[in-house]
């Protein structure tokens, strides 16, 4: 009977300890977040200072954060006795792209991260088959993805003076004062570097470049 009482007391003490302030969350730290608020998302799931560490579901926090089109990847680490670390990798918009339902900023991986104005400043991509229509959608068309890759491969100065048009599998661009024929969407980063090198070499403004 004594041993039974001791065992029950030990279990009760263990339960109290893991749910006590001694082993509760003290800090929730975030790295890599600029456009999102991981702390607010975590709090909606009950993860905040004072929450018992044992009750924190890091996987659930990760899933909730990945619902944002801005979040490309996230890692949530729950450490005893009481800390939560949220490391976020956010998408970076590289261009504005026109779709049937409006204009959106698009990231390098083809995800539409946010709606923007129809009068967006360059770089702008116009595609006849983007295959995505709303925030969080991912573009699947190879030609359009190639256009995004081309824009991302340009230096910021040229990128801000670029408009790309995609018709089927053919890609063309207006880069600063140059008309550029890019053909099919292959090696688009290399093509961007080649176009920039030609422009820097002193090719006459207004020339047509075929890569």
């Amino acid at each position: 009977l004594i041993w039974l009482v001791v065992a029950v007391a030990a279990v009760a003490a263990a339960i109290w300890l893991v749910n006590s302030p001694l082993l509760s969350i003290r800090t929730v730290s975030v790295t890599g977040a600029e456009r999102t608020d991981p702390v607010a998302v975590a709090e909606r799931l009950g993860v905040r200072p004072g929450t018992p560490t044992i009750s924190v579901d890091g996987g659930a926090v990760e899933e909730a954060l990945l619902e944002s089109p801005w979040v490309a990847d996230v890692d949530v680490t729950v450490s005893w006795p009481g800390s939560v670390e949220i490391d976020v990798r956010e998408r970076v918009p590289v261009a504005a792209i026109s779709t049937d339902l409006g204009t959106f900023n698009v990231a390098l991986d083809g995800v539409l991260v946010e709606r923007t104005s129809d009068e967006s400043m360059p770089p702008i991509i116009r595609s006849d088959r983007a295959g995505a229509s709303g925030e969080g959608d991912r573009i699947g068309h190879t030609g359009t993805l190639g256009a995004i890759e081309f824009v991302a491969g340009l230096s910021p100065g040229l990128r801000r003076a670029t408009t790309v048009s995609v018709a089927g599998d053919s890609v063309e661009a207006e880069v600063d004062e140059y008309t550029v024929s890019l053909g099919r969407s292959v090696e688009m980063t290399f093509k961007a570097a080649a176009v920039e090198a030609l422009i820097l070499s002193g090719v006459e403004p207004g020339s047509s470049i075929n890569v």
Side-chain angles (χ1 to χ4, degrees):
L1 181 61
I2 292 174
W3 283 113
L4 178 60
V5 171
V6 170
V8 170
V11 170
I15 293 174
W16 176 86
L17 181 63
V18 297
N19 288 280
S20 72
L22 295 175
L23 295 179
S24 294
I25 297 299
R26 295 184 177 88
T27 60
V28 178
S29 59
V30 177
T31 56
E34 295 183 4
R35 308 236 183 203
T36 55
D37 189 355
V39 171
V41 174
E43 287 183 347
R44 286 201 299 270
L45 296 175
V47 179
R48 59 176 62 88
T51 301
T53 302
I54 196 171
S55 67
V56 175
D57 185 347
V61 177
E62 290 178 356
E63 290 179 7
L65 287 169
L66 287 170
E67 292 177 1
S68 168
W70 285 105
V71 178
D73 194 18
V74 60
D75 183 38
V76 176
T77 303
V78 182
S79 303
W80 292 83
S83 67
V84 177
E85 298 176 0
I86 304 175
D87 182 25
V88 178
R89 183 171 65 84
E90 292 184 338
R91 293 183 172 92
V92 177
V94 297
I97 185 166
S98 298
T99 73
D100 293 339
L101 296 181
T103 303
F104 296 83
N105 285 329
V106 62
L108 180 59
D109 61 358
V111 173
L112 307 183
V113 292
E114 66 175 348
R115 185 181 293 274
T116 186
S117 168
D118 291 337
E119 290 80 33
S120 297
M121 299 295 290
I124 297 173
I125 298 172
R126 297 185 175 91
S127 174
D128 63 353
R129 55 181 76 179
S133 57
E135 292 181 5
D137 287 354
R138 186 187 299 271
I139 292 170
H141 180 236
T142 301
T144 307
L145 290 172
I148 297 169
E149 182 183 343
F150 173 77
V151 169
L154 296 171
S155 64
L158 280 182
R159 193 182 303 170
R160 288 191 292 268
T162 298
T163 300
V164 184
S165 299
V166 182
D169 294 327
S170 180
V171 184
E172 294 187 351
E174 295 291 330
V175 181
D176 201 5
E177 301 178 56
Y178 303 88
T179 300
V180 182
S181 296
L182 296 164
R184 294 174 57 248
S185 293
V186 293
E187 298 183 321
M188 298 302 273
T189 300
F190 174 78
K191 290 180 178 180
V195 168
E196 186 147 357
L198 285 169
I199 292 174
L200 292 175
S201 71
V203 174
E204 183 179 351
S207 298
S208 296
I209 300 173
N210 191 324
V211 291

